[in-house]
Amino acid sequence: KYCGKEHVLLLMNHTYDVDWLIGWVFCDKVGVLGNCKAYAKKAIQYIPTIGWAWKFAEFVFLERSFDKDKEIIGRQIKEIMDYPDPIGRQIKEIMDYPDPVWLLLNAEGTRFSEKKHEASVKFARERGMVELKHHLIPRTKGFTSSLPHLRGKSCILDIQLAISKDSEVKPTILNILNGRPVVAHMHVRRIPTESLPEQEEEAAEWLQQLFRRKDIMQDSFHTHGDFFTGSDEPRKVPIKMQPRLHSLINMVTWNVVTVVPIAYYLVQLLLSGEFLYFSIGASILLAFYALMMRAIGMSKISKQSSYGTGKAANGHNNQNGSSAEKTSKVE
């Protein structure tokens, strides 16, 4: 009913190596993948291929310095969600939600790991907050800085992603590239931004309560096999999303356009005895393969950054304390 017809801020748990990829698959199946963006740390924009692509796709890159990021968030949201026409009016006055954008915010700030979860639990205990079992305590500044620019022009999709702990295939990029299917369960709930509190402190508390609700749903999934039995969430009939023929055609077409000419050229070089040029071409392909494998390694939970642990946890503390506690970190 709503997908592809309005701007969206997505709030999703950041738990698995492949949660971002599963999110993209979901966006592709509802026809909005081309306009999906996310908050990401600034350093990613310099990574060859994927970082450059995200930069050109207008992802919102943050420096994790709140004074700078607050201005960046406001400017970027305005650029990607406002469309003035030549006489100064907004196109949305003429056409509802033109070119809708889906913007992802991982409010936990970093991917879940046991070490970071321990730091999160310690932080919650020190401040008398509710401990989360399956999530990190969310950082609120990125959300509360975004909300004023989203109110009235977008909605929120609260997405809870879960993968069975008993799954034979672990949710890793390498398993997916090797053709091993990963089964994911996603609960999606639409929340109009007009229903959210307008005061910053109240909006921050709303986000904390949202993650407590998400934590109960996640616990229900791992205990009972669904999001509903152990929570007060109304039971819904699951929808199994089928593969799209469009995606298959797109993938096959680009492989034919790129791989076939490259393979033909290398074979021609080899058969003609141009071993030097063949070696150069093969080396370039191997270099790209090595970079891809390195990127896959960086996506593993075991290889993630230390953000959210140790000294970084102190920045986490500043973001979730009382209104008098100012923060210098944002994700």
Side-chain angles (χ1 to χ4, degrees), residues 14-35:
H14 199 9
T15 309
Y16 307 100
D17 289 354
V18 298
D19 49 19
W20 58 274
L21 180 57
I22 294 171
W24 279 3
V25 171
F26 169 66
C27 292
D28 176 60
K29 292 186 185 298
V30 298
V32 297
L33 181 59
N35 286 324

Side-chain angles (χ1 to χ4, degrees), residues 105-156:
L105 171 64
N106 290 123
E108 292 166 277
T110 186
R111 193 184 299 135
F112 184 96
S113 71
E114 292 301 325
K115 186 175 182 181
K116 292 179 181 180
H117 182 241
E118 290 175 3
S120 180
V121 169
K122 179 182 178 182
F123 165 76
R125 288 176 180 173
E126 289 174 349
R127 282 156 180 75
M129 301 173 66
V130 176
E131 300 173 21
L132 302 181
K133 184 177 179 180
H134 304 283
H135 301 79
L136 306 179
I137 298 294
R139 293 169 165 82
T140 61
K141 290 295 184 180
F143 174 72
T144 57
S145 297
S146 303
L147 192 56
H149 306 284
L150 299 169
R151 197 181 302 276
K153 66 175 69 173
S154 66
C155 78
I156 288 174

Side-chain angles (χ1 to χ4, degrees), residues 141-243:
K141 290 295 184 180
F143 174 72
T144 57
S145 297
S146 303
L147 192 56
H149 306 284
L150 299 169
R151 197 181 302 276
K153 66 175 69 173
S154 66
C155 78
I156 288 174
L157 287 188
D158 168 29
I159 297 182
Q160 191 59 31
L161 178 68
I163 298 174
S164 174
K165 293 181 178 180
D166 299 325
S167 175
E168 294 182 2
V169 180
K170 299 302 179 184
T172 65
I173 296 293
L174 196 57
N175 278 336
I176 292 177
L177 287 177
N178 288 332
R180 305 185 70 191
V182 173
V183 179
H185 302 261
M186 183 180 287
H187 181 274
V188 183
R189 183 168 64 103
R190 180 180 180 274
I191 307 170
T193 52
E194 293 85 353
S195 66
L196 271 60
E198 294 189 7
Q199 298 299 318
E200 181 176 347
E201 291 184 16
E202 294 177 357
E205 179 57 27
W206 180 91
L207 184 66
Q208 298 292 347
Q209 292 179 4
L210 175 70
F211 269 81
R212 292 163 196 160
R213 177 175 181 166
K214 291 165 73 69
D215 206 58
I216 294 173
M217 293 177 64
Q218 195 81 345
D219 194 63
S220 175
F221 179 88
H222 291 307
T223 303
H224 305 286
D226 62 60
F227 293 114
F228 316 108
T229 303
S231 71
D232 59 358
E233 189 67 28
R235 186 172 294 274
K236 301 175 180 67
V237 178
I239 300 172
K240 184 176 181 180
M241 307 198 81
Q242 301 298 329

